Amino acid sequence: MSDAILLIVSAALVNNVVLTKFLGLCPFMGVSTRLDSAVGMGLATTFVLTLTAVLSWALESFVLAPLGLEFLRIITFILVIAAVVQFTEMAVQRLSPVLHQVLGIFLPLITSNCAVLGVALLNRQAAHGFLESLVFGFGSAVGFMLTLVVFAGLRERLALAEVPRAFRGAPVGFITAGVLSLAFMGFSGLEVQ
Amino acid sequence: MTGSVIAAVATLGALGLALGAVLGLAAKHVQVAGNPLEDKVADMLPGSNCGQCGYPGCRQMAKAVVQGEAAVTGCPPGGRALAAALAEVMGVSIDLSETAEPEQRRAFIHEDQCIGCLRCLSACSTDAIVGGPKQMHTVITAYCHGCGECVPTCPVDCIEMRPVPVTLKAWHWPKPDDLSEAA
């Protein structure tokens, strides 16, 4: 149990996908202008990331490894991710049409979110088992959502701030992201007893 | 070597088929949740989201019509033909005598007064206005559907709605008075 908590904390904070591994930067910059759409995007990505982490583990250990087809890893993972994203889009459209409209193009773009493929590949690299894959996928997703929401909150305030003209819009967003990344480096000194 | 190629192709093919089947089932499942009548009504509406009915767009109007909140005669660009068709789909009887056939009007920009502010461009639901920043704008009459959304956006009041003149090309036989009777 403590192992699982350790893994979640490490995936969400210490090795945060966005701010430490620099994966999934497009939704991080693209959907972070409003807090509510950031929360929606975070939830959708959490669902997709956790599900694909488990599914790709199952594919890797039950199909690819026994057949000796490890060279097909990336393309099969992408296939699974695309299918899960398509499914999520249908589910969101049914459960919350408003959210579907707010997320718009970013929902299908989860397919090309490198954090999703990255976590599936990192799971494989670390030789995680079923439970570890699930926990690591969920922890990374929580970390992704956390940074997305925090950053969206920052940008909502930035929109009201008096920013020098040359830095208005995206540039100040990137600078803020850099400062946030520096702040998250503080977690690497975290020692769990 | 050949074995692994066949295995790879078979695995990917089977995986794709399985995922496709799951998605197909899911799509079917979701479609039941949506209202097929609403889709039908939305397809019948003009689809230009001009907002003359008082709803943000045609999709919202379709929803209101299906729920009985909006009258089937509520779409001005659709005119009598649409009202009669909608009444038939919704199974209600309507009195078409009060639904006037909309007078055909097209936006016209007084180009010598236009300051090129671009505001009417974003208001146009059919992209019928062309122009650039600080350049004169003009209306592509063939694409204008006469909703008049651009008129209030103009800061210098240089847009007016003009009736379409009856020419040999624009004239057509008058439509039957009561389409529901003819149907």
Side-chain angles (χ1 to χ4, degrees):
Chain A
M1 193 60 212
S2 68
D3 278 359
I5 293 172
L6 197 66
L7 198 56
I8 286 191
V9 171
S10 124
L13 297 177
V14 183
N15 292 317
N16 187 289
V17 270
V18 180
L19 296 173
T20 311
K21 296 197 183 112
F22 304 112
L23 294 170
L25 286 174
C26 0
F28 181 65
M29 292 308 297
V31 207
S32 57
T33 44
R34 280 177 54 204
L35 199 57
D36 47 350
S37 57
V39 171
M41 184 69 180
L43 286 175
T45 313
T46 304
F47 181 73
V48 172
L49 229 166
T50 315
L51 207 57
T52 48
V54 175
L55 283 178
S56 47
W57 169 83
L59 265 181
E60 172 73 31
S61 34
F62 295 125
V63 180
L64 297 186
L67 293 173
L69 294 173
E70 281 93 349
F71 56 89
L72 286 180
R73 190 177 296 134
I74 290 179
I75 193 167
T76 44
F77 284 6
I78 287 180
L79 206 60
V80 170
I81 290 168
V84 173
V85 167
Q86 199 65 46
F87 180 77
T88 314
E89 188 176 6
M90 286 180 202
V92 171
Q93 194 170 20
R94 180 178 180 182
L95 298 175
S96 164
V98 180
L99 184 63
H100 185 258
Q101 222 160 24
V102 170
L103 292 179
I105 184 68
F106 288 105
L107 204 52
L109 276 183
I110 299 178
T111 314
S112 57
N113 183 342
C114 36
V116 180
L117 183 63
V119 167
L121 291 174
L122 283 172
N123 262 332
R124 167 74 202 107
Q125 204 177 36
H128 282 155
F130 169 72
L131 216 57
E132 284 168 313
S133 295
L134 178 74
V135 170
F136 185 73
F138 182 69
S140 304
V142 167
F144 178 80
M145 185 167 165
L146 179 76
T147 45
L148 193 65
V149 170
V150 165
F151 192 54
L154 286 172
R155 282 188 91 174
E156 276 199 347
R157 297 205 165 199
L158 267 181
L160 302 172
E162 192 82 33
V163 179
R165 198 170 173 171
F167 292 106
R168 250 170 238 173
V172 78
F174 279 112
I175 292 172
T176 316
V179 175
L180 197 61
S181 175
L182 276 179
F184 263 71
M185 280 177 80
F187 284 119
S188 59
L190 202 66
E191 270 187 48
V192 184
Q193 301 292 320
Chain B
M1 184 59 205
T2 343
S4 88
V5 170
I6 293 170
V9 171
T11 314
L12 266 187
L15 196 65
L17 273 179
L19 290 173
V22 169
L23 280 181
L25 281 177
K28 219 172 176 181
H29 194 65
V30 169
Q31 234 172 24
V32 177
N35 191 341
L37 188 60
E38 201 179 303
D39 290 337
K40 196 173 177 188
V41 172
D43 282 344
M44 289 164 71
L45 292 173
S48 54
N49 300 325
C50 70
Q52 288 182 80
C53 53
Y55 292 91
C58 292
R59 189 82 219 179
Q60 287 80 2
M61 168 74 175
K63 197 175 174 189
V65 166
V66 170
Q67 286 172 351
E69 289 166 9
V72 288
T73 52
C75 179
R80 287 184 177 192
L82 179 67
L86 280 182
E88 201 180 316
V89 168
M90 297 298 301
V92 293
S93 58
I94 48 162
D95 181 16
L96 278 173
S97 57
E98 283 178 25
T99 318
E101 192 59 41
E103 188 200 6
Q104 290 297 312
R105 297 185 308 161
R106 297 289 176 261
F108 177 81
I109 295 178
H110 292 276
E111 289 163 0
D112 48 339
Q113 291 167 29
C114 176
I115 55 170
C117 70
L118 295 170
R119 284 181 209 180
C120 53
L121 262 79
S122 49
C124 184
S125 54
T126 54
D127 285 346
I129 304 179
V130 287
K134 304 229 168 108
Q135 304 286 323
M136 174 198 86
H137 304 340
T138 196
V139 179
I140 306 174
T141 316
Y143 295 156
C144 175
H145 64 144
C147 69
E149 287 286 303
C150 49
V151 175
T153 63
C154 183
V156 293
D157 248 349
C158 71
I159 306 180
E160 85 175 279
M161 300 302 292
R162 288 188 171 174
V164 181
V166 180
T167 61
L168 275 179
K169 272 187 178 171
W171 185 84
H172 55 77
W173 286 100
K175 288 176 184 165
D177 278 344
D178 197 339
L179 281 164
S180 55
E181 230 167 60

